[in-house]
Amino acid sequence: KKLNANLAQKISELQDREKTIAELQQLIDQQNQKVKDLLGSVKDALLGFSSDELTIREEGGKVYVAMSDKLLFESGKAVVNEQGREALGKLADVLNRQTDIDVYIEGHTDSIPIKTAVFKDNWDLSVMRATAIVKLLMQHGPGINPSRVEACGHGEYAPRVANDSPEHKAMNRRTEIIITPNIEGLLRAMER
């Protein structure tokens, strides 16, 4: 009787765990679908821009939009140009329709030092560029929750490739907009 009672308890515990695993898998599947839908929406919105101006990819459950400096800025400046405003406006339209996302804007430069009256170094330039993009996205509509947006600058310290040629330096001069669906629900479910 005692063995049967223990066995029944273990079976019940196992069924509870299987139920929890099934719920977690459903949440993971929903999260993956959100990322897939977001990726499709971003690609559709930015369809008219060339691959040397921007790239869009999904990695690790996040959508990365890397925009070249030539799409967004004049050399050594942190004011977004007209073509950049157009691209960011299209991206903002997509982001405004999302409810539970976090948006990270990362500025990157090449390794050529800059020192002007406005920018002490590449870090300053990368931060100011990221901030300029945040401000444009916020001005483009009420949909993006400002508390879910972060801007940072990496200067030349997070290159995509080595800064050993003009082409590689151009690849490193970019702003990355990283969009991630909020996973708080998934994390709460995992704590159970």
Side-chain angles (χ1 to χ4, degrees), residues 34 38 94-104 143-145 147-149 178-183:
K34 283 181 187 177
L38 183 59
V94 172
L95 298 179
N96 284 331
R97 291 192 301 268
Q98 307 302 315
T99 54
D100 252 357
I101 59 169
D102 293 319
V103 181
Y104 304 94
I144 305 170
N145 181 346
S147 69
R148 303 193 75 82
V149 178
I178 304 161
I179 310 157
T180 181
N182 187 313
I183 60 169

Side-chain angles (χ1 to χ4, degrees), residues 5-7 25 29 33 45 51 54 57 74-75 85 108 126 136 156 160-161 168 172 183-184 186:
N6 282 341
L7 181 60
Q25 186 60 54
D29 292 344
Q33 187 60 47
S51 63
L54 65 84
R57 72 185 193 285
E74 291 180 32
S75 180
R85 286 178 179 273
H108 299 270
S126 65
L136 276 174
E156 70 266 25
R160 185 184 284 168
V161 295
H168 285 171
N172 290 329
I183 60 169
E184 290 173 9
L186 181 59

Side-chain angles (χ1 to χ4, degrees), residues 64-115:
Y64 289 79
V65 180
M67 297 182 165
S68 72
D69 70 324
K70 74 177 191 175
L71 172 65
L72 298 171
F73 304 102
E74 291 180 32
S75 180
K77 307 273 188 207
V79 176
V80 179
N81 64 33
E82 195 57 42
Q83 186 180 16
R85 286 178 179 273
E86 178 187 346
L88 290 169
K90 290 179 180 191
L91 181 60
D93 288 340
V94 172
L95 298 179
N96 284 331
R97 291 192 301 268
Q98 307 302 315
T99 54
D100 252 357
I101 59 169
D102 293 319
V103 181
Y104 304 94
I105 300 17
E106 297 182 349
H108 299 270
T109 67
D110 60 23
S111 61
I112 299 171
I114 186 171
K115 185 167 178 80

